[in-house]
Amino acid sequence: MSAYQPLPKDKFAFGLWCVMNIGRDPFGDATRRAVSGVRAIRGLAERGVWGFEFHDNDLVPIGATAAQVRKVMQEVRRAMKQTGICCATGTTNLFYHPVFKDGAFTSNDPHVRAYAVQKVMRTMDMAAELGAQTFVFWGGREGAEVDLSKDPVEALKRFREAFNFLGHYARRNRYRMMLSIEPKPNEPRGDTFFPAVGNALAFIETLDPPVAKRTGVNPEVAHIKMAGLNPLHEYGQALEAGKLVELHLNDQKPLRYDQDLAFGSVSLKEAFFLVKLLTDYRFKDMEGVWSFVERNMRLYKMLEERVAVVNADRQLKQMLAEVCDGDASLDGVYAKYSPAAVKRMRSLRLDPNKLANARRLPYESLDQRLNELLLGIG
Amino acid sequence: MSAYQPLPKDKFAFGLWCVMNIGRDPFGDATRRAVSGVRAIRGLAERGVWGFEFHDNDLVPIGATAAQVRKVMQEVRRAMKQTGICCATGTTNLFYHPVFKDGAFTSNDPHVRAYAVQKVMRTMDMAAELGAQTFVFWGGREGAEVDLSKDPVEALKRFREAFNFLGHYARRNRYRMMLSIEPKPNEPRGDTFFPAVGNALAFIETLDPPVAKRTGVNPEVAHIKMAGLNPLHEYGQALEAGKLVELHLNDQKPLRYDQDLAFGSVSLKEAFFLVKLLTDYRFKDMEGVWSFVERNMRLYKMLEERVAVVNADRQLKQMLAEVCDGDASLDGVYAKYSPAAVKRMRSLRLDPNKLANARRLPYESLDQRLNELLLGIG
Amino acid sequence: MSAYQPLPKDKFAFGLWCVMNIGRDPFGDATRRAVSGVRAIRGLAERGVWGFEFHDNDLVPIGATAAQVRKVMQEVRRAMKQTGICCATGTTNLFYHPVFKDGAFTSNDPHVRAYAVQKVMRTMDMAAELGAQTFVFWGGREGAEVDLSKDPVEALKRFREAFNFLGHYARRNRYRMMLSIEPKPNEPRGDTFFPAVGNALAFIETLDPPVAKRTGVNPEVAHIKMAGLNPLHEYGQALEAGKLVELHLNDQKPLRYDQDLAFGSVSLKEAFFLVKLLTDYRFKDMEGVWSFVERNMRLYKMLEERVAVVNADRQLKQMLAEVCDGDASLDGVYAKYSPAAVKRMRSLRLDPNKLANARRLPYESLDQRLNELLLGIG
Amino acid sequence: MSAYQPLPKDKFAFGLWCVMNIGRDPFGDATRRAVSGVRAIRGLAERGVWGFEFHDNDLVPIGATAAQVRKVMQEVRRAMKQTGICCATGTTNLFYHPVFKDGAFTSNDPHVRAYAVQKVMRTMDMAAELGAQTFVFWGGREGAEVDLSKDPVEALKRFREAFNFLGHYARRNRYRMMLSIEPKPNEPRGDTFFPAVGNALAFIETLDPPVAKRTGVNPEVAHIKMAGLNPLHEYGQALEAGKLVELHLNDQKPLRYDQDLAFGSVSLKEAFFLVKLLTDYRFKDMEGVWSFVERNMRLYKMLEERVAVVNADRQLKQMLAEVCDGDASLDGVYAKYSPAAVKRMRSLRLDPNKLANARRLPYESLDQRLNELLLGIG
């Protein structure tokens, strides 16, 4: 049982907001009491959590004076020192105050845009002081319901201008944290920019190169499922691009309001495949990338063990060999373009009718075997 | 009325497959007769269409001999010469034959991958001979239902290897067409790679630079709506990135099977905003980019006229000014990073409580006015 | 222009909660000030609205004493008398207080269930005093996220027990209002019971007959679209069953969080078809059924006018005749079962191959003509 | 292992169409060879399947002569006698031939409607001869894409007229099979009538009472998920209404094209809860209702065993007691309406603030424990 205890090397981190959330929703009043940010940090540390994530306003109220900020930061640093918990991630609340009701970096009001950039600068200073490894941008209100009100081309240009400035600010101040964009398709806006992982990855490539280089994405399972996409594929593309900075592991039913349920609540299988992706790739080419789950460290560990079982299963290995193993003679036949390769490609005699049946695709058996291993049978 | 006649400068193009489709679906038999590709080309030309798009197998059957291909190509060139229709786009059918049942470039079988690359090389030769401006890649079966059967990281590497090779092939042969990836979230596979515009844009940036440079995307309205995303935002991001090569204008209900209904069938408002985006940007920075609608040139022209009405409406202009106009004193305040800009940013006195109410956001009136203009009232 | 002014006979009614909503969402603070219920009633009356709808707690706080209730009721009756506005609908807030966090009538706690029934009894008394025509039940928290926690069969039995009791309560007290269930698929619960119109209609048939007789449904456009269904079909079935008690006309993007946008914001076409359904049927078999829009009386009136245009258009009439007109000789051929009818049915010579092409189905032209009339062209 | 062998008492049945499907889709050619209906029946029997389901055209081609039908029926009866397999269900193909392209019972063409009724009469004769227990109606093409083309109120009236006639036909001929409607939200039509279980249940209540009495529903998991609803709740309502005639157990990703994947392919948890519902209720009040799975008898049996484990788990029992156990003193307090009950209800002193925290709702722990038992841990 203790095999499932979280260890520091697992690098599980939690947002303070998960603990501080008072359980209010658009149709109902608070169901829990508020706790302070510092208390939340200590509470996480007591449960063996490695790191915490914070919004500026989880720690200090909006409009706090420099002195107020200094005082809170001292308390936070003391709590960190006493408990050993680290600061994993900082991020700016650019969505709660009504000033952001029509967006922050993409607001139509240039004062609001400037105010948002100012607010991020200050949060970056705090994150750097706490040694955060990552600094996240979630554009919660960067979007529209009335399409006539916001030109999407102009909006991206505005977002880029702000992001570039802040990327240079981090660089010039020698803040070492990675920057990261968190995609989400909608809610609280009708449509938000960067609805899916790809939109954020593509946007990053258009930033100033030194900023782009230190910017990645931190996809959240529930956000991907709100867009009806396959988390395995979305995480896979980010990972393959070398841009997976951080993970938010939770769950929800696809294509509904933001439910933020615990990891594996809805789909054990999807949860399993994410853990498998991270396990299979972490030790190959992902050195230095770390992961965290928001609520369910225990399930993560259980699935990690199950990944090992699946990866070692002889029946599956045999079926996968049948499905996946190639003909070595074709390895790299078009990996590098050259006249010789073209000639070779032209000369290959490949009969589609034969190829169509050249290999069994026992996908039903593959999936049934996986189900059995997930159920702990056989 | 004749104001809505399509003109050559509109560059409306249609896929031969739209005309050749025999109206079969998974639950029902053919409801129309087949016509040949050459006949389809002549039929389009008779209706004043500017260009046609083809799959290799719209013109020649799979496994056709070189002589057969030559004969058909002569007929096609004759039809083009006689009618003046041009070839807008070529693309390879990598989904119909059972050989592709588990994918083409991402198949687990290296023979199938090699066969797919061979097939594209031949289609590129045809497209170049017909003067196609664009060459499209739609990975209809590049995906999975059983996630265990295909590693998404490996799959992207396979897709890239094939794409790079073909990009170099086009380059070395001095084929001048742009390459383009067509995103789609699912169907006929459970999940397909490149589900949304962003995934394709992000992938393009990882290609060999000379290949990346000539590669863009050709989003289809219905595919975007199958993913539940906002077409205006998806097209907007592609356009802003300078990667919008071509458009497929059709329609469908969001988050359902591929319905391929005529443009504007489901949402007049979405159709309006796409035409507005293209109209507003075509004459600014999109020179050389061309557009086409798959079925409804007439509606496109009507909406184009309505865009002009909306853009000229005084009431809307006034409301938009209120919503969008900035304070010139803040222009570019953080456009370029410098110590002075940082100092300026720090010194700006911005009060969120005042800013929150600094400008009315008459979005309800804006939308109501738009509705009225769309209805032709007032 | 004044053709679009709302008239008393339009019977437009608004929920007080629409006016009293302070614009808070799960990610952001209030953007508007609260107003009192009585003030909201007066505000609606000033705008020419015919009736208002209320929750008990829009007028009196939870736990109000009998004296407090009496005082507020006097103020409300005075406002009604002075302005002429009527009370269209009453309903009980069974979702805001944390006591309802796991449901009201379907809560696992019998005390909570009893408390909910008590609360409805009191609200019914208020609604009857104000002359409400309808009394609505929206089971906002009757559902689950963790399926193990609530047996759906047991839950329906609990809901029925409560509903029957309250139906008898209204009857014995000679309260004349219709009872009505408002379906919604999810939010604020992961899944709510009565997700679609059909689920509510089917449930009503299982109530005690005298209760069932006076119970119908009040579908909301946005709730239907949250379930991805076609509002025209959902309203159509309720209307055909004689169970359409009331309508909530608003809008939103399908399959997303509850957006509650103004009627016609997202889909003009869907809005048009709803107005058409109500217009076409109101004067046939719907006497006594009344409708209201939540925000956009003006758009409703515009679409009403457009329905008249569409219904009178000669081109459309001709196409519809082609599509819909029958062969009178077959009228009622199987309307009544009898041996003679069976014999007649057996003897009919019907050739599917001929029938398949017996009539043109010019659906593309039909839709294009509709689009043109909606755009106000031709 | 043999614990998971299907037994006759499990009453697993399969559609012949599952076996006869040639694996064609809108984008690809057949990937399998056709087999005859009789061969499919024998194949199922060899695999220990209890019963088969058929469409008329799985056995005889459209337009078959009486002699042809007789010959095939003899072969089918011989195969049944020799192998012991029974006929579970008959149904009419009202969707494949182009005559049905705009619907069958709801077609705008009265000849088509009459032809459809004729075709069902003949299939009922076949089903009765084979001893089918159930006769299914799936209105595959009863719907619309162009809403102007079909009035939904009129469509329901047409469907009812046809259904009543056929119900009486079955009755007068003493055909003992239950009739059943299969809901589906869309595909192959843009929107189909009876999109969800509730719509069918509600419609049944409007049939002639003797027909209504013998008519129920046969929901399919994948169809429910295409509508984005919770299968547990949809099945639960049908079961609670005593109208669950038959089950089609398969799976797919929510809100996508019809994928028809094997039961449990996508969501093990949903599959588990369905088996739990059937297990928990079969032996209470469902005598005579039988179930079948389309493909995965083995997984069903495994989940059946896991249901027993979950139902017996002490930790879960304890948590569920905490969540669900009531206060006996309130049992039935409003179960029967009477002045005394009203008095009792008024007099109960229930404090919402206390009730709100009266019981822990350990839903996170509940779900985590379930996950562990599903994974076979602990």
Side-chain angles (χ1 to χ4, degrees), chain B residues 249-311:
Chain B
L249 300 180
N250 56 355
D251 206 351
Q252 80 155 63
K253 295 227 175 174
L255 298 157
R256 298 200 178 170
Y257 73 99
D258 190 342
Q259 301 184 306
D260 207 0
L261 303 174
F263 186 50
S265 298
V266 172
S267 177
L268 269 178
K269 245 176 174 176
E270 274 179 1
F272 170 83
F273 280 114
L274 284 186
V275 176
K276 181 161 167 37
L277 180 80
L278 297 171
T279 305
D280 289 356
Y281 279 97
R282 183 183 294 175
F283 306 108
K284 293 179 192 165
D285 39 315
M286 272 192 65
E287 215 66 81
V289 171
W290 56 279
S291 75
F292 73 92
V293 286
E294 277 188 337
R295 287 204 221 146
N296 216 321
M297 303 186 282
R298 186 174 163 79
L299 183 69
Y300 189 97
K301 298 289 285 185
M302 285 175 166
L303 291 172
E304 209 170 40
E305 179 219 43
R306 204 51 57 97
V307 168
V309 170
V310 167
N311 284 350

Side-chain angles (χ1 to χ4, degrees), chain C residues 324-377:
Chain C
C324 299
D325 282 5
D327 172 343
S329 77
L330 283 177
D331 276 4
V333 67
Y334 56 79
K336 200 167 152 22
Y337 187 86
S338 71
V342 172
K343 202 170 150 198
R344 177 82 200 283
M345 281 305 293
R346 286 204 204 278
S347 70
L348 284 174
R349 303 197 42 177
L350 300 161
D351 176 349
N353 293 311
K354 278 196 195 134
L355 288 177
N357 298 300
R359 57 177 71 196
R360 255 184 8 125
L361 296 175
Y363 286 173
E364 294 288 344
S365 318
L366 206 61
D367 193 52
Q368 176 59 15
R369 183 66 190 152
L370 175 67
N371 274 344
E372 292 176 17
L373 293 177
L374 281 179
L375 290 167
I377 293 171

Side-chain angles (χ1 to χ4, degrees), chain A residues 300-371:
Chain A
Y300 189 96
K301 299 289 285 183
M302 285 175 166
L303 290 173
E304 210 171 38
E305 178 219 45
R306 205 49 58 97
V307 168
V309 170
V310 167
N311 283 350
D313 186 66
R314 276 202 320 168
Q315 281 186 45
L316 273 180
K317 272 186 184 164
Q318 224 166 325
M319 285 189 273
L320 281 168
E322 217 178 322
V323 168
C324 300
D325 281 6
D327 172 342
S329 77
L330 283 176
D331 276 3
V333 67
Y334 56 78
K336 200 166 153 26
Y337 187 86
S338 70
V342 173
K343 203 171 150 197
R344 179 82 200 285
M345 282 304 293
R346 286 204 204 279
S347 70
L348 284 174
R349 302 198 42 178
L350 301 161
D351 176 349
N353 293 311
K354 279 197 193 133
L355 288 177
N357 298 299
R359 57 177 74 194
R360 259 185 2 127
L361 296 174
Y363 286 173
E364 294 287 344
S365 318
L366 205 62
D367 193 51
Q368 176 59 15
R369 182 66 190 151
L370 175 67
N371 274 345

Side-chain angles (χ1 to χ4, degrees), chain D residues 22-70:
Chain D
I22 55 170
R24 197 170 70 183
D25 70 32
F27 301 92
D29 214 354
T31 56
R32 283 191 290 277
R33 294 194 173 209
V35 297
S36 77
V38 175
R39 222 190 138 80
I41 291 169
R42 290 185 180 275
L44 288 174
E46 282 161 21
R47 277 150 194 89
V49 169
W50 166 79
F52 70 88
E53 309 193 300
F54 75 98
H55 293 102
D56 51 350
N57 302 137
D58 294 338
L59 297 178
V60 297
I62 206 162
T65 63
Q68 282 177 303
V69 173
R70 220 166 17 245

Side-chain angles (χ1 to χ4, degrees), chain A residues 15 57 61 166 235 260 262 269 280 333:
Chain A
N57 302 136
L166 291 162
Y235 279 94
D260 207 0
K269 245 176 174 175
D280 289 356
V333 67

Side-chain angles (χ1 to χ4, degrees), chain A residues 375 377, chain D residues 3-7 9-12 249 263 268 271-280 282-283 291 293 296-312 374:
Chain A
L375 290 167
I377 293 172
Chain D
Y4 307 127
Q5 283 299 107
L7 301 173
K9 76 172 174 59
D10 293 323
K11 297 200 171 174
F12 289 126
L249 300 181
F263 186 50
L268 268 178
F272 170 83
F273 280 114
L274 283 186
V275 177
K276 181 161 167 36
L277 180 81
L278 296 171
T279 304
D280 289 355
R282 183 184 296 177
F283 303 109
S291 74
V293 287
N296 215 320
M297 303 187 282
R298 186 174 163 79
L299 184 68
Y300 189 96
K301 299 288 285 183
M302 285 175 166
L303 290 172
E304 210 170 38
E305 179 219 42
R306 204 49 59 97
V307 168
V309 170
V310 167
N311 283 350
L374 281 180

Side-chain angles (χ1 to χ4, degrees), chain C residues 160 162-169 171 178-179 204 207-216 243:
Chain C
R160 184 181 299 113
F163 203 100
N164 274 333
F165 182 88
L166 291 162
H168 289 302
Y169 179 78
R171 246 176 103 240
M178 286 290 288
L179 309 183
I204 289 168
L207 294 170
D208 285 351
V211 178
K213 207 178 153 185
R214 68 187 298 166
T215 306
K243 288 293 194 189

